[in-house]
C-alpha cells in the first residue's frame, strides 16, 4: 500500500474521531496527517514524512488549537427564545395582579403576573418584563 494512502486513512480516522470528542486535538492531528499524505504523494522519504507530520502537528496543537478553542468556548452573545424577552417593554392589555393579567410583548399576547405581589398594574400601562416563568411574563411597571 502506498504511504500517501496510509496517511490519508490515518487522517480520516483522526478527523472522524474528532467529531465524537470535540477536543480539537484529534482534528489538528488529522490535518497534520492530511498534509503529510500530500508530502508522501510528492515523493518524500519516510523519515521526512514523519518529520513533516511532527512539525505540522506541533505547530497546529501549540498555535491553532488554542485559537480554535477560544472561538468555540465563547459565551453566547445573543439571547434566543423567551430569554430574549426579558428586559423588553410590554403593554398591559388587561389589569395585571399577582394572580392574573395579560400583556402584549412585541406583538404577542402573554399571560402576566406582577413581579411585586403587592402591585396592581392598570390596563394601558407600560411595563418591563423581569422574568419569564413557563408561559407567564412577570412584569414590573416603568417609572
Amino acid at each position: 500500500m502506498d504511504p500517501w494512502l496510509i496517511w490519508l486513512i490515518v487522517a480520516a480516522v483522526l478527523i472522524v474521531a474528532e467529531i465524537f470528542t470535540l477536543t480539537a486535538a484529534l482534528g489538528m492531528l488529522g490535518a497534520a496527517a492530511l498534509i503529510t499524505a500530500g508530502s508522501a504523494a510528492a515523493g518524500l522519504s519516510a523519515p521526512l514524512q514523519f518529520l513533516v507530520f511532527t512539525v505540522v502537528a506541533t505547530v497546529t496543537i501549540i498555535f491553532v488549537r488554542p485559537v480554535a478553542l477560544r472561538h468555540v468556548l465563547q459565551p453566547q452573545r445573543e439571547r434566543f427564545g423567551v430569554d430574549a424577552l426579558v428586559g423588553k417593554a410590554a403593554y398591559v392589555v388587561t389589569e395585571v395582579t399577582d394572580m392574573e393579567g395579560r400583556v402584549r410583548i412585541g406583538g404577542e399576547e402573554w399571560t402576566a403576573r406582577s413581579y411585586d405581589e403587592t402591585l396592581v398594574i392598570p390596563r394601558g400601562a407600560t411595563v418591563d418584563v423581569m422574568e419569564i416563568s413557563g408561559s407567564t411574563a412577570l412584569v414590573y411597571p416603568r417609572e
Side-chain angles (χ1 to χ4, degrees), residues 31-54:
L34 195 59
I35 292 171
T36 306
S39 68
L44 258 61
S45 64
L48 287 179
Q49 291 173 26
F50 283 109
L51 180 65
V52 167
F53 178 78
T54 303

Side-chain angles (χ1 to χ4, degrees), residues 6-17 26 29-35 37:
I6 294 171
W7 282 111
L8 200 60
I9 292 169
V10 169
V13 168
L14 287 169
I15 291 171
V16 168
L26 295 176
L29 294 176
L34 195 59
I35 292 171

Side-chain angles (χ1 to χ4, degrees), residues 103-128:
V103 296
R104 185 175 315 278
I105 308 169
E108 295 181 347
E109 206 166 292
W110 284 71
T111 57
R113 289 192 331 242
S114 176
Y115 190 72
D116 182 352
E117 297 169 355
T118 62
L119 290 178
V120 174
I121 305 167
R123 182 175 183 261
T126 302
V127 293
D128 288 319

Side-chain angles (χ1 to χ4, degrees), residues 61-93:
I61 293 290
I62 291 174
F63 297 110
V64 177
R65 184 173 181 260
V67 173
L69 287 178
R70 207 172 18 245
H71 287 287
V72 169
L73 300 176
Q74 278 184 343
Q76 188 174 346
R77 291 186 178 155
E78 292 187 31
R79 296 181 299 174
F80 294 95
V82 294
D83 291 334
L85 298 176
V86 175
K88 289 206 174 207
Y91 174 78
V92 177
V93 177

